[in-house]
Amino acid sequence: MSPADCTTYSDADVVSETPTRGPLAVSLVLTALAMGGFAIGITEFAAMSVLPDFASGLGVDEPTAGHAISAYAAGVVVGAPLLAAFGARLPRWILLIVLMGLFAAANTLSALSPNFETMLVFRFLSGLPHGAYFGVAALVAASIVPLKFRTRAVSTLLMGLTLATVLGVPVVNLISQAHGWRWAFGIVGMLAVLTMTLVALFAPRDPAHPDASPLRELKALKNRQVWLTLGVSAIGFGGMFAVYAYLASTLREVTGVGPEVLPWVFAVFGVGMFSGNLLGAWAGDRFGFKAAAGVLIWSAASLALYPLASHHLWSMLVIVLCVGAGGGLGAILQTRLMDVAGEAQTLAAALNHSAFNTANALGPLLAGAAVAAGFGWGSTGWVAVGLTLGGLAIWLWAWLDGRVSRPPVTAA
């Protein structure tokens, strides 16, 4: 990684050049953390896959039901900085358990929603712990491996999310079709309780940083590179969510497939996301922040083909796979924030998921507006392209700003 790609990493309690735990201990920690990612991935993506079902069950149309997706995302945006900053004084393993407890309770309440209004409230509450969990878990994952493997450790955490799209979402979709959409949220509540147990058993018992405080964490907000990196995530990821939120509706209304095909298409998306996460982790460790530009260009090209592919199932399978691969951007940006945040590691790491879920709110909102305006389901792809290119423009700004602001190299 070149000096243009990052600033000096200064939080010694987060990463170490020499891990202090053996391979088995590291694997158990990462598995425990990834289980939380699996639960979060199911509630985030399965909610979109069963959107037509809970829209019908709660008596609203599908564009209106999309507001539940945006409500969850809004909860992440609000909760990530607040819970991360005010939980800074807690040991990270305890904070992870508390966050998963809140997540379990709110998803269980979502499953019991009597009407759409309460559903909106419970989806907002479900989103509150999401970003803080991923942010804190990423720091724990990075702390137990050598510095050069940070992105791969973070990607292992995110692997839980990608496995949710490959396995969890299709299975939950099948269960929901057989037994009702409420199971999609009830299952997440049970997985969250399992995560609490695994974290309690295997997470390192490292104490909180002695100088940790909300004020210390808020220092991240003074760093322009932090904001630019968050901007790449907030806008660039919006493209993926713009098409994913309405993928089920597009498959039914444009491609013309039955509900029995939907789980398999969502599984293909998950395979793409899983593969993209692996490649993104490798590229991030090798090329640093430059790897984000490659992922964004790939995503823009894939999304541009989405409206054209939507009329045939075989072409949709190919494009959905390619769009899912754009999820590899996540680990790259998470590591970038570790590099530029200085001492405000917890808040910066959590804010990445606020930005990610700003994209989760913005993409479906704009795509839904395009559909409601009469441009058709295929218009979600063009909205997605615009958002992805916007993220690429912010990446270019961040990269150029980093080159200008880096200290000059002097001869020895």
Side-chain angles (χ1 to χ4, degrees):
M1 195 180 298
S2 69
D5 288 334
C6 66
T7 59
T8 302
Y9 193 88
S10 62
D11 200 8
D13 67 309
V14 176
V15 295
S16 60
E17 289 293 350
T18 304
T20 59
R21 296 168 178 84
L24 178 59
V26 169
S27 296
L28 290 173
V29 174
L30 293 178
T31 299
L33 300 175
M35 181 58 68
F38 186 71
I40 290 173
I42 290 178
T43 202
E44 187 165 28
F45 289 96
M48 300 181 195
S49 74
V50 299
L51 186 147
D53 301 311
F54 77 74
S56 175
L58 296 176
V60 297
D61 59 31
E62 291 176 26
T64 300
H67 295 165
I69 310 300
S70 298
Y72 178 90
V76 181
V77 173
V78 173
L82 290 179
L83 295 180
F86 287 101
R89 294 183 185 274
L90 288 176
R92 286 174 179 151
W93 68 279
I94 293 179
L95 181 56
L96 289 172
I97 292 173
V98 171
L99 292 170
M100 269 292 118
L102 294 173
F103 188 73
N107 276 279
T108 301
L109 290 172
S110 296
L112 302 174
S113 300
N115 52 54
F116 186 65
E117 289 73 24
T118 55
M119 178 69 153
L120 287 176
V121 173
F122 294 146
R123 295 317 294 152
F124 176 82
L125 294 177
S126 298
L128 291 175
H130 171 139
Y133 175 84
F134 267 125
V136 175
L139 296 174
V140 173
S143 73
I144 60 175
V145 299
L147 184 63
K148 63 182 178 180
F149 295 131
R150 280 183 307 148
T151 307
R152 269 170 270 194
V154 173
S155 77
T156 302
L157 161 65
L158 297 177
M159 202 70 72
L161 189 150
T162 58
L163 282 175
T165 63
V166 178
L167 300 174
V169 172
V171 170
V172 167
N173 194 275
L174 287 171
I175 293 172
S176 297
Q177 288 183 28
H179 302 290
W181 60 266
R182 296 179 186 276
W183 278 90
F185 304 105
I187 289 171
V188 171
M190 290 184 278
L191 288 172
V193 173
L194 175 60
T195 301
M196 295 170 66
T197 304
L198 293 176
V199 169
L201 289 173
F202 301 122
R205 298 296 198 268
D206 297 335
H209 193 286
D211 297 326
S213 69
L215 185 60
R216 181 176 184 258
E217 294 295 327
L218 288 173
K219 291 180 181 178
L221 303 182
K222 297 180 180 180
N223 189 323
R224 184 168 64 246
Q225 279 294 317
V226 168
W227 284 108
L228 289 173
T229 305
L230 294 173
V232 175
S233 185
I235 305 300
F237 260 127
M240 184 179 74
F241 286 112
V243 298
Y244 192 92
Y246 299 102
L247 179 57
S249 299
T250 303
L251 288 166
R252 289 181 176 183
E253 302 298 329
V254 180
T255 315
V257 301
E260 71 281 356
V261 177
L262 300 185
W264 302 107
V265 180
F266 284 109
V268 168
F269 177 90
V271 170
M273 200 167 186
F274 183 87
S275 303
N277 191 48
L278 290 175
L279 291 173
W282 171 83
D285 280 333
R286 185 175 178 84
F287 301 109
F289 193 42
K290 294 187 185 75
V295 176
L296 288 165
I297 292 169
W298 169 275
S299 295
S302 302
L303 292 164
L305 295 173
Y306 179 83
L308 304 176
S310 63
H311 299 282
H312 304 283
L313 179 59
W314 66 267
S315 56
M316 277 291 273
L317 290 173
V318 173
I319 292 302
V320 165
L321 180 74
C322 293
V323 171
L329 184 64
I332 299 169
L333 296 180
Q334 191 78 67
T335 306
R336 170 68 174 181
L337 283 169
M338 291 180 185
D339 289 331
V340 301
E343 295 181 340
Q345 292 292 316
T346 304
L347 179 59
L351 281 171
N352 188 40
H353 296 277
S354 285
F356 185 81
N357 281 272
T358 298
N360 191 0
L362 185 63
L365 182 65
L366 295 179
V371 173
F375 292 105
W377 296 108
S379 65
T380 60
W382 299 118
V383 171
V385 171
L387 288 168
T388 304
L389 292 177
L392 183 61
I394 298 171
W395 174 89
L396 181 61
W397 181 6
W399 184 70
L400 291 174
D401 179 74
R403 288 177 64 86
V404 170
S405 61
R406 64 172 171 165
V409 177
T410 57

